[in-house]
Amino acid sequence: MIKVFADLQALSHAAARLFAEEAARAIETKGRFIVLLAGGETPRRTYEALARDPLRDAVSWERVHFFWGDERHVPADDPASNARMARQALLDHVPVPAAQIHTIPYRSSPRESAVAYEEILRAFFSGGPSRFDLVFLGLGENGHTASLFPGTIAVEERERWVTEVFLPGELMQRITLTLPVINRAGLVVFLVSGTSKSRILRETLEDVSPLHCIPARLVRPADGKLRWLVDRDAARLLQQRA
Ligand code: 6PG
């Protein structure tokens, strides 16, 4: 389901309201809300909207567990850190217990970080299958999502829950959750904004190019829901408009 909003501000407020609704539903039925945050720049304003009234007081933060879909292999205080962005925009402003902020550990290698995070995830889900209530994802101009980049073996990974990503030509290496974990989510929401994303959004949603060329097209929750919250600039090339 695709919803088109006038601009990033409207998109972000809708995403924040959706977070609050899903949190209330999960906490009502399960006593906790398990969410996977996206990195990059697009979600920042969604996180900021959650840190402000009225939504700040609408969420039972003490019942929320935060995880990340991917991270750059950098220290926690590095400006490139996805967790740092989420702390500045949201987590430093709401009363979520520190023990419920499950960041991707920065170890001496991306592989060690990935292995450590997988251990954290498997322990959190008590050795059973992972099941995130809500997954936020972004869309890169080359069709990547999380850090599942076209042509990387991370996209093909079907056993490991977390893997390292070495991008040729990029100094910064990454850690990403894999498709099997993302596709076990109850609800996956893509947040896409800006003219620069209009071509890849059309190709992702309407093209017939081979699936593996655009990793975002491989996000298909097995028994969950998939939603696209996009702004008008990103949607300008779409045939079918919501
Ligand atoms: C990251 C993200 C990545 C991001 C897209 C879109 O760590 O960079 O996980 O997948 O969502 O690259 O980034 P923007 O929102 O900045 O356009």
Side-chain angles (χ1 to χ4, degrees):
M1 184 264 276
I2 306 165
K3 284 199 79 170
V4 181
F5 297 88
D7 54 26
L8 176 58
Q9 177 85 357
L11 184 166
S12 303
H13 278 95
R17 284 193 301 274
L18 180 58
F19 177 107
E21 289 160 9
E22 292 300 313
R25 193 192 326 269
I27 291 165
E28 174 70 27
T29 55
K30 299 186 314 164
R32 67 182 186 177
F33 179 51
I34 309 166
V35 60
L36 198 67
L37 295 182
E41 192 50 37
T42 302
R44 182 191 299 270
R45 291 169 75 165
T46 296
Y47 303 162
E48 289 170 344
L50 282 166
R52 287 194 302 269
D53 287 338
L55 292 177
R56 185 188 189 285
D57 291 341
V59 177
S60 301
W61 297 104
E62 73 284 356
R63 299 297 185 94
V64 182
H65 285 263
F66 287 96
F67 293 85
W68 275 260
D70 72 324
E71 187 56 281
R72 293 81 180 274
H73 187 244
V74 294
D77 60 354
D78 188 295
S81 163
N82 287 334
R84 178 176 181 270
M85 183 277 273
R87 285 187 188 282
Q88 287 179 337
L90 172 58
L91 301 176
D92 289 350
H93 311 286
V94 293
V96 57
Q100 294 174 202
I101 300 174
H102 310 275
T103 55
I104 297 177
Y106 178 60
R107 294 283 190 274
S108 53
S109 73
R111 180 173 183 82
E112 287 173 85
S113 290
V115 169
Y117 206 46
E118 180 152 343
E119 286 170 3
I120 289 168
L121 281 168
R122 288 184 183 275
F124 180 82
F125 288 106
S126 312
S130 63
R131 175 80 175 177
F132 287 98
D133 298 304
L134 171 63
V135 171
F136 276 140
L137 289 175
L139 178 66
E141 292 182 36
N142 61 5
H144 79 263
T145 191
S147 283
L148 299 167
F149 283 77
T152 61
I153 53 173
V155 175
E156 314 302 327
E157 178 59 54
R158 294 296 177 270
E159 299 305 321
R160 293 173 68 188
W161 289 15
V162 190
T163 188
E164 60 280 357
V165 184
F166 295 94
L167 297 172
E170 261 211 29
L171 287 178
M172 183 172 57
Q173 305 307 333
R174 295 163 174 248
I175 299 95
T176 189
L177 266 59
T178 57
L179 283 164
V181 178
I182 292 169
N183 283 331
R184 277 198 293 271
L187 171 62
V188 177
V189 179
F190 276 92
L191 308 176
V192 188
S193 166
T195 307
S196 69
K197 302 290 178 72
S198 57
R199 178 192 58 75
I200 191 60
L201 186 63
R202 185 189 61 74
E203 289 182 9
T204 302
L205 295 179
E206 297 179 349
D207 227 355
V208 289
S209 54
L211 271 180
H212 64 274
C213 293
I214 301 178
R217 293 181 69 194
L218 298 172
V219 174
R220 301 171 162 196
D223 58 4
K225 296 183 292 241
L226 175 61
R227 293 191 189 168
W228 290 82
L229 306 188
V230 305
D231 68 9
R232 200 175 287 155
D233 286 343
R236 67 193 179 91
L237 299 179
L238 293 183
Q239 302 304 322
Q240 90 261 11
R241 300 290 295 268

